[in-house]
Amino acid sequence: MTTSSVASLRPAPTMAVYGLACVFLYLVPALVFLLPTSLVSAELASGWKGGVYNWVARGISKPAGFFAVWCQFAMTIFYYPSLLGYVASTLAYVFDPGLASNGLWTATVIVVAYWSGVWVSSRGTKGVAGLASGGLIIGTLVPGVVLVVLGFVFLGQGNAPAAPMDAGSLLPEWAGLASLVLIVNNFLSYSGMEMNAVHVSSLRNPAKQFPKAMFLAMGLVLLIFILPALAVSWVVPAGELSLTAGVMQAFDAVFAQFGWQVLTPVVGVMLVMASLGGMLTWLAGPSKGLLLISRQEGYLPPVLQKRNKHGVQQNILVAQGLVTTVIALLYAFVPDVSSTYWIFSVITTQVYLIMYLLMFVAAVRLRRKEPDHPRGYRAPMLVGLCGIGFAASLAALLVGFIPPSQLGSGNTVSYVLIVGGGALGLGLVVPFLFYRFRKPHWRQPEPEDGVTAEPAS
């Protein structure tokens, strides 16, 4: 479950820019972010139900809990344009590869796909979780294995890799902080570990089994991330790599070596199906958690708390969709789709990292405030893990304000204003305004429903 919720081929083009150094750049965040997040969230989930909101509310305060669950929801507003930007570029290879860099095509696909997802979700469609789970096999494992195997065959035929594979390429070239900015995207790649920590109590021996499961999942996730990224770097030169269409570029180039380019659209459809299935699960999850908590505490106005006849928070999805549509339209007015994709990915990461900062603080405070509270699993060296995870998350958040050197020269001030405005405005200002102007009559508690702030898994 953890592997399916975290692993994806989507980050492969981003890290393929680094060639062999992507191994190092995947391992570092795995140790300083993936591992602390997994073990800390396991302890919290085994001791307190209710997900991120309840953990942070009990460890820090209820306003901080709302802030945390808002960030978990708000990051999806930028997540959908970046995810669907990838879908648009992938889908372009089914019809016309030239469309992959067309901003109008990208914006159209984002708008149509998102609102179609809202329509499906608003009808309370069942089986979405099964679709996403099947997507791990159909849209990730099968294409990933094919890409890696053909990549090795490509090298075995005597073709020189597009990226150097010597020992001197193990570490990324240092050209100032901007040369390492793309590592920030890996924090988002590894996010979501807290989603499946809620199942830790189902294990027979959580104290032993959960750490083993996390290390095994981490190994599988690293393989799924690293090997396809290397395969892409072997086939597609870094200077020609699109951050959104790089996976399809690699498939197209590899298939061309064997005269199998007729399979490129087939792989494109498989990748699109997996991404859309994942989008549907995220549509249903964070927005539902925000709805339940807002009804209990009155954090959102009544109009956003209404549900349709299927019990779905349709008004929240529609409001979110309006913002997503505006963001999507930016693709139609910018010359570089890859740059836009990267900016949205950074904003998504920064908003989500705020939630993790609060989670690490809450975990330490709960261990001190309620040391005897029953927990199915107790993370070893919790304070140290939280310290490492907090420092890594904060560093990644700050580094995200530096324009990456791989995207070429540009206006640094404009980049900082766009990224800072998006992350701070949506992640801080909007929830503060909701909290500041909340009214007592906004509360519509439903204790029988329970509280959950986690995406569907």
Side-chain angles (χ1 to χ4, degrees), residues 143-157:
V145 169
V146 170
L147 179 61
V148 172
V149 170
L150 292 183
F152 277 111
V153 173
F154 173 80
L155 295 180
Q157 291 181 331

Side-chain angles (χ1 to χ4, degrees), residues 119-145:
W119 181 79
V120 171
S121 298
S122 67
R123 298 178 65 83
T125 303
K126 296 182 180 180
V128 170
L131 175 63
S133 298
L136 173 68
I137 298 175
I138 297 173
T140 300
L141 294 182
V142 172
V145 169

